[in-house]
Amino acid sequence: MSLQDELRQVDEDLERLRAEVAELRRQVGEIGPTDSTERSMMINQADEQENLVGELEARRRDLLERLGEGDERNGVHPRGTT
């Protein structure tokens, strides 16, 4: 898999996970006060997914950095640089 393909996959995963976390947080707000066990489980699940988002964001930064270095070696400068 090329770096560009991997970056595209990471971006898709980030978008999906962020939507899932937002939906979980929304659902937590809708759960009645008597469902504390379910609420706790959903909060934990959302927290775990947010940790995955952080890991994917770090991977994305690494890929962007590697792509930038490859571009510089080939005489192509990343956007915004000369």
Side-chain angles (χ1 to χ4, degrees):
M1 177 183 283
S2 73
L3 291 177
Q4 288 88 359
D5 291 338
E6 193 171 344
L7 180 60
R8 190 174 11 261
Q9 182 64 51
V10 167
D11 283 338
E12 290 171 6
D13 291 344
L14 276 169
E15 184 177 337
R16 179 183 50 79
L17 277 173
R18 286 178 177 142
E20 288 176 12
V21 168
E23 177 62 18
L24 281 170
R25 299 284 186 205
R26 184 191 64 75
Q27 289 176 7
V28 166
E30 293 176 353
I31 293 176
T34 59
D35 294 331
S36 61
T37 301
E38 185 177 355
R39 179 184 300 228
S40 177
M41 287 176 21
M42 291 176 76
I43 290 171
N44 286 337
Q45 185 178 4
D47 289 345
E48 288 173 6
Q49 287 185 333
E50 284 179 338
N51 288 335
L52 288 174
V53 166
E55 291 173 14
L56 284 173
E57 288 172 339
R59 178 68 180 142
R60 184 178 190 279
R61 283 189 301 272
D62 177 60
L63 288 168
L64 288 171
E65 188 175 299
R66 290 172 58 193
L67 281 168
E69 290 174 6
D71 289 344
E72 290 172 6
R73 281 194 295 261
N74 293 323
V76 177
H77 299 283
R79 286 183 231 181
T81 64
T82 53

